[in-house]
Amino acid sequence: MKRAELQTYLDVLLDCARIKDYCPNGLQVEGRENVSRIVCGVTASQALIDRAIDERADAVIVHHGYFWRGEDYRVIGQKRRRLAALLAHDINLFAYHLPLDLHPELGNNAQLARICGWHLTARTGEMDLVCLGEPDSPHTVGQLARSLAARLGREPLVIGDADQPVRRLAWCTGAAQGSLQQAIDAGADAYVSGEISEPTVHLARESGVAYIAAGHHATERYGIHALSAHLAQAKGLETMFIDIDNPV
């Protein structure tokens, strides 16, 4: 498959033109023209690039790429090493951030719901990033946290009453602690995201809406994994998902 054809397919599939983001989505580093073997992962870390080199990949596709708004523009240090490795081995880098959070089937939010058995009923917040729904069966906050731990392989941090019933659930993967207020406004009993910050604790306690921080990486493994499987099935490409563990 030609690089340009793959880029067009992914950009359309993930509806990139519609989504306002704070990094460039799509092709970030240009490599060889023909693409047949692809490594997919959450973040374009040096460890993932090294694995892609070992696997003789033509392209790497990630959720967290490069060139974030506000970052240092200079190509030095970590950035230089990563780019040098990609360019030296003629490997393309594609990155899809919010488009891969938002996709109704392949997206991180949709895939987390699938893994956990949650039923989506509505969306709210900026660009409808926050999902609203309900668990597959009656849960308390404590039961919800234990279910997440079992499915994600990581113990979540819970702020709230473990015995509180969860009838209306809100979730947004990754670093979406800033959307807790949207979940509160939407009438959620509990909110699940990846990370948590100091002010989030106070807002959760004072609002009575439980907050479950289930891990940034842990909650965002599944969108890129689903995209990897989709490309193999839809386009006949040789894809592999490589999980570079991150405890955050």
Side-chain angles (χ1 to χ4, degrees):
M1 189 176 197
K2 297 296 185 185
R3 176 186 62 242
E5 182 185 354
L6 177 60
Q7 178 179 1
T8 299
Y9 179 78
L10 289 170
D11 288 356
V12 172
L13 173 69
L14 299 174
D15 201 13
C16 291
R18 180 183 67 86
I19 297 167
K20 183 180 180 182
D21 211 335
Y22 40 95
C23 63
N25 288 295
L27 181 65
Q28 291 192 340
V29 179
E30 183 177 293
R32 60 182 64 99
E33 183 180 5
N34 294 311
V35 177
S36 61
R37 189 170 173 83
I38 301 173
V39 161
C40 297
V42 177
T43 298
S45 64
Q46 189 68 54
L48 186 68
I49 294 168
D50 291 343
R51 288 291 304 276
I53 293 168
D54 291 343
E55 296 292 344
R56 300 185 182 278
D58 304 306
V60 173
I61 304 177
V62 296
H63 178 51
H64 301 137
Y66 305 151
F67 314 117
W68 301 90
R69 185 174 65 202
E71 77 172 30
D72 190 341
Y73 293 128
R74 295 175 298 169
V75 181
I76 59 175
Q78 180 190 62
K79 185 185 292 185
R80 180 194 179 280
R81 291 190 295 271
R82 290 175 172 184
L83 292 174
L86 289 167
L87 293 168
H89 293 86
D90 210 17
I91 298 174
N92 297 281
L93 175 65
F94 295 86
Y96 294 94
H97 183 232
L98 292 183
L100 193 55
D101 288 323
L102 283 163
H103 193 276
E105 295 177 11
L106 304 175
N108 286 317
N109 283 332
Q111 287 296 310
L112 182 63
R114 181 186 67 81
I115 292 292
C116 294
W118 303 337
H119 304 292
L120 177 70
T121 58
R123 292 177 180 269
T124 190
E126 185 179 3
M127 289 188 290
D128 287 338
L129 269 167
V130 177
C131 294
L132 301 167
E134 55 192 26
D136 57 352
S137 61
H139 277 61
T140 63
V141 169
Q143 289 169 332
L144 183 64
R146 288 191 292 273
S147 175
L148 278 162
R151 286 168 166 81
L152 304 187
R154 180 188 186 279
E155 287 296 325
L157 174 65
V158 181
I159 305 299
D161 180 0
D163 295 326
Q164 177 181 328
V166 179
R167 299 179 181 86
R168 187 165 174 81
L169 176 65
W171 68 93
C172 186
T173 64
Q177 59 266 50
S179 296
L180 174 57
Q181 186 61 56
Q182 283 76 50
I184 295 167
D185 294 343
D189 301 305
Y191 178 60
V192 177
S193 188
E195 296 185 26
I196 189 168
S197 54
E198 196 270 348
T200 316
V201 174
H202 300 293
L203 182 57
R205 287 173 176 169
E206 293 170 24
S207 68
V209 175
Y211 190 99
I212 301 178
H216 192 142
H217 179 86
T219 59
E220 295 202 322
R221 287 193 299 247
Y222 303 103
I224 192 67
H225 188 277
L227 181 60
S228 176
H230 172 85
L231 288 173
Q233 182 176 16
K235 293 298 180 180
L237 294 165
E238 184 180 357
T239 66
M240 63 193 79
F241 171 73
I242 295 177
D243 189 18
I244 305 296
D245 187 50
N246 188 327
V248 174

